[in-house]
Amino acid sequence: MLIDFWYEFASTYSYPAAMRVERAAAEAGVELRWRPFLLAPIFGGQGWSDSPFNIYPAKGRYMWRDLGRICAAQGLVLKEPVRFPQNGLKAARIALVGADEGWIAPFSRAVYLANFAGQKDISDDAVLAGILTELGLDADAAMARSQTPDNKTRLRAQTDEAIAKGVFGAPSFTVPGAGGDELFWGNDRLEDAIRWARRS
Amino acid sequence: MLIDFWYEFASTYSYPAAMRVERAAAEAGVELRWRPFLLAPIFGGQGWSDSPFNIYPAKGRYMWRDLGRICAAQGLVLKEPVRFPQNGLKAARIALVGADEGWIAPFSRAVYLANFAGQKDISDDAVLAGILTELGLDADAAMARSQTPDNKTRLRAQTDEAIAKGVFGAPSFTVPGAGGDELFWGNDRLEDAIRWARRS
């Protein structure tokens, strides 16, 4: 019983998903894998050079209102980010280091809080180093490792894997199965994905 | 306690919403208004001359799979429509006549079943007349009334009203309030919209 959680640090609805996914999976007894990836190559393939929430203003206005309702219901602070979308590349590379070293979950949550509650620039090295230090980690070592060619390649490969699984937005959840992965898109689908994993 | 249900007969996720909205509203003691409108002018304003589910294939593939899961859970038949999207213009005009005459709900459900379960062409006069006749109505009279200039203008005005309320997709729900309408987008948001109406 396994679920892959595909997320991008710039993604608005990934914020409430990231803040609740670990507890939801644990309560259901489902193993969880944190899978950061990048939306830019996917959106680029759809002809978008910006977030669809910026390209389509009515959709964007609704999204912020809807996200506000969701965060309020979940007890999460939501403040207008310093810019939208932010560049989550460095944070995603660091998260992959955290996947190996066992701190990807708290690091990812801290990055989302910095972006959507703390009004911090998550592409700023000092902000990322601060998050790592707060978690009791060696920030310099983690950031150095995140910038190795191997780790950069790994993030590209993970994005390619997401695309191969049919992922077109974030957050997404995939549940491995005999007939291929079952895809669920959106914070709203977390519970469905967990149910699917439990019956697989 | 009132909820407006904004729907388009071509819209896939409007199908499960239309099939359950009346019962959900009634159980919650919330008044329901059926508000057909057209997506084409809205999508056109976003630069789309086709459904986004056709323009973005990965999103389209996911939508059909996701809709399949939703329909299965709701006990609804889902069969590939004769084309996607279908032209819901005539059906929407007839539905407005039904709003005056008290049969908009069963007519709308029958059109969705014809489109998404019955593999019928819902832009075909014979199909629409058949639906009206099945409901015990005078099909010729209803169709004639639906084609009057006044009724055509009314559908355009209703679409303009949807746009003014921020609607950008279907199904949507709006709840009138002192500070303006609260907008909810998607079949998933029906329960939230009903809760909002109950506390307004």
Side-chain angles (χ1 to χ4, degrees):
Chain A
M1 297 197 302
L2 171 67
I3 200 169
D4 283 297
F5 169 46
W6 298 90
Y7 61 103
E8 141 82 70
F9 285 112
S11 154
T12 52
Y13 287 103
S14 296
Y15 167 43
M19 301 308 285
R20 70 198 189 91
V21 65
E22 194 164 65
R23 181 169 168 181
E27 285 178 354
V30 171
E31 188 191 341
L32 172 67
R33 284 195 301 211
W34 292 71
R35 308 293 300 269
F37 74 108
L38 298 180
L39 276 175
I42 295 177
F43 284 179
Q46 298 181 347
W48 299 335
S49 58
D50 194 355
S51 164
F53 295 128
N54 291 336
I55 297 172
Y56 308 112
K59 199 164 184 164
R61 276 190 298 275
Y62 172 76
M63 179 277 292
W64 288 111
R65 177 65 186 159
D66 187 51
L67 188 67
R69 291 188 304 236
I70 290 167
C71 288
Q74 208 171 316
L76 291 174
V77 171
L78 176 67
K79 287 185 185 169
E80 194 184 347
V82 294
R83 84 185 64 82
F84 178 77
Q86 290 212 55
N87 186 334
L89 173 64
K90 288 180 192 170
R93 286 177 177 161
I94 296 171
L96 282 185
V97 177
D100 287 344
E101 299 184 353
W103 43 263
I104 188 171
F107 173 77
S108 296
R109 285 190 292 262
V111 172
Y112 279 111
L113 288 170
N115 186 352
F116 294 106
Q119 299 186 308
K120 298 281 173 57
D121 180 345
I122 63 162
S123 68
D124 181 339
D125 285 347
V127 169
L128 294 166
I131 289 172
L132 291 162
T133 304
E134 276 286 314
L135 293 171
L137 300 164
D138 182 336
D140 289 343
M143 292 177 76
R145 204 182 147 198
S146 77
Q147 291 157 26
T148 61
D150 269 8
N151 195 60
K152 292 180 179 178
T153 300
R154 197 171 153 202
L155 181 58
R156 279 194 293 273
Q158 184 136 297
T159 298
D160 289 343
E161 188 185 344
I163 294 170
K165 289 182 191 298
V167 169
F168 57 90
S172 291
F173 308 94
T174 56
V175 178
D181 286 77
E182 187 77 10
L183 173 63
F184 298 84
W185 172 51
N187 174 54
D188 297 327
R189 291 289 181 277
L190 169 58
E191 286 71 20
D192 288 340
I194 286 175
R195 265 192 295 273
W196 197 275
R198 286 176 60 88
R199 72 166 134 145
S200 294
Chain B
M1 298 197 300
L2 170 67
I3 200 170
D4 283 297
F5 169 46
W6 298 90
Y7 61 102
E8 141 83 68
F9 285 112
S11 155
T12 52
Y13 287 103
S14 295
Y15 167 43
M19 301 308 286
R20 71 199 188 90
V21 65
E22 193 164 66
R23 181 169 168 181
E27 285 178 353
V30 171
E31 188 191 341
L32 173 68
R33 284 195 299 212
W34 292 71
R35 309 292 300 269
F37 74 108
L38 298 180
L39 276 174
I42 295 177
F43 284 178
Q46 297 182 347
W48 299 334
S49 57
D50 194 356
S51 164
F53 295 128
N54 291 337
I55 297 173
Y56 307 112
K59 199 163 184 166
R61 276 190 297 276
Y62 172 76
M63 178 277 293
W64 288 111
R65 176 66 186 158
D66 187 51
L67 188 66
R69 292 188 303 236
I70 290 167
C71 288
Q74 209 170 316
L76 291 175
V77 171
L78 176 66
K79 288 185 185 169
E80 194 184 347
V82 293
R83 84 185 64 82
F84 178 77
Q86 290 213 55
N87 186 335
L89 173 63
K90 287 180 195 169
R93 286 177 177 162
I94 296 171
L96 282 185
V97 176
D100 287 344
E101 299 184 354
W103 43 263
I104 188 170
F107 173 77
S108 297
R109 284 190 292 263
V111 172
Y112 279 111
L113 288 170
N115 186 352
F116 293 106
Q119 299 187 306
K120 298 281 174 58
D121 180 345
I122 63 161
S123 68
D124 181 339
D125 285 347
V127 169
L128 294 165
I131 289 171
L132 290 163
T133 304
E134 275 287 314
L135 293 171
L137 299 165
D138 182 336
D140 289 342
M143 292 178 77
R145 202 180 149 197
S146 77
Q147 291 157 25
T148 61
D150 269 9
N151 196 60
K152 292 179 180 179
T153 300
R154 196 172 155 201
L155 181 59
R156 279 194 293 273
Q158 185 136 297
T159 299
D160 289 343
E161 188 185 344
I163 294 170
K165 289 183 191 299
V167 169
F168 58 90
S172 291
F173 308 94
T174 56
V175 178
D181 287 76
E182 188 77 10
L183 173 63
F184 298 84
W185 173 50
N187 174 54
D188 297 327
R189 290 289 181 279
L190 169 57
E191 286 72 19
D192 288 340
I194 286 175
R195 264 192 296 273
W196 199 274
R198 286 176 59 89
R199 70 166 134 144
S200 293

